[in-house]
Amino acid sequence: MIRLLATALVAAHIPLAAPAQSGGPQAGDPQMTAIRFVIGDTVLSATLDDTAPARDFASMLPMDLTLSPYHGVEMVGDLGRELDSAGMPGSYEPKTGDITQYAPWKNLAIFTAPFSDSRGLVRLGQFDGPIDALTGAGDVTVRIELEN
């Protein structure tokens, strides 16, 4: 009986469980944009959400950026302008591996640890795996580009 119900729900495209609370679409969604962060010989894959600010960020790529540690929970770098955040919530509670913009300062903020809900923080996407190459001591120079 349970198998029949699960099959019927899948056939009707009804999720069997609530989606993960990432604050945006889930990785693997065909509308998402794959990007990569190149740090020396290391490549970190990431996925941008299908949102106005993520599309605006993608339009800026490729770019070279220096990321600096900030308060032990994020790496930040100046994007030079605020991204289009039309229709986005006024705050976001980031998780490790989230790619965001802190709009008031116009910077890219990559979270290396979870943090509290922050006004002005806009989610852009998330890394697809570990981000160890970004968590070393000091500044990190990255090239961010669209995945081919």
Side-chain angles (χ1 to χ4, degrees):
M1 180 71 150
I2 292 174
R3 183 177 293 180
L4 289 174
L5 178 58
T7 303
L9 291 174
V10 170
H13 302 294
I14 298 171
L16 295 175
Q21 296 296 316
S22 66
Q26 297 302 298
D29 184 327
Q31 299 164 20
M32 313 254 295
T33 302
I35 62 171
R36 63 182 171 203
F37 285 67
V38 181
I39 306 159
D41 293 333
T42 303
V43 177
L44 302 177
S45 296
T47 305
L48 296 177
D49 298 340
D50 185 23
T51 61
R55 287 188 297 273
D56 193 9
F57 177 66
S59 75
M60 298 172 71
L61 302 179
M63 76 167 57
D64 295 310
L65 195 63
T66 299
L67 299 173
S68 303
Y70 189 74
H71 288 299
V73 296
E74 60 188 297
M75 297 291 287
V76 299
D78 183 23
L79 287 180
R81 70 175 176 88
E82 186 174 343
L83 299 172
D84 174 9
S85 59
M88 298 301 292
S91 67
Y92 178 70
E93 184 174 347
K95 293 154 193 61
T96 302
D98 278 350
I99 303 165
T100 67
Q101 182 183 44
Y102 183 61
W105 293 351
K106 302 177 180 117
N107 68 9
L108 185 70
I110 297 169
F111 282 83
T112 57
F115 195 66
S116 60
D117 189 70
S118 302
R119 186 154 208 69
L121 196 62
V122 178
R123 180 185 151 97
L124 304 176
Q126 65 189 18
F127 283 89
D128 299 336
I131 58 171
D132 296 341
L134 292 172
T135 60
D139 293 351
V140 176
T141 301
V142 300
R143 175 147 183 94
I144 309 169
E145 53 194 24
L146 295 170
E147 191 70 50
N148 292 332

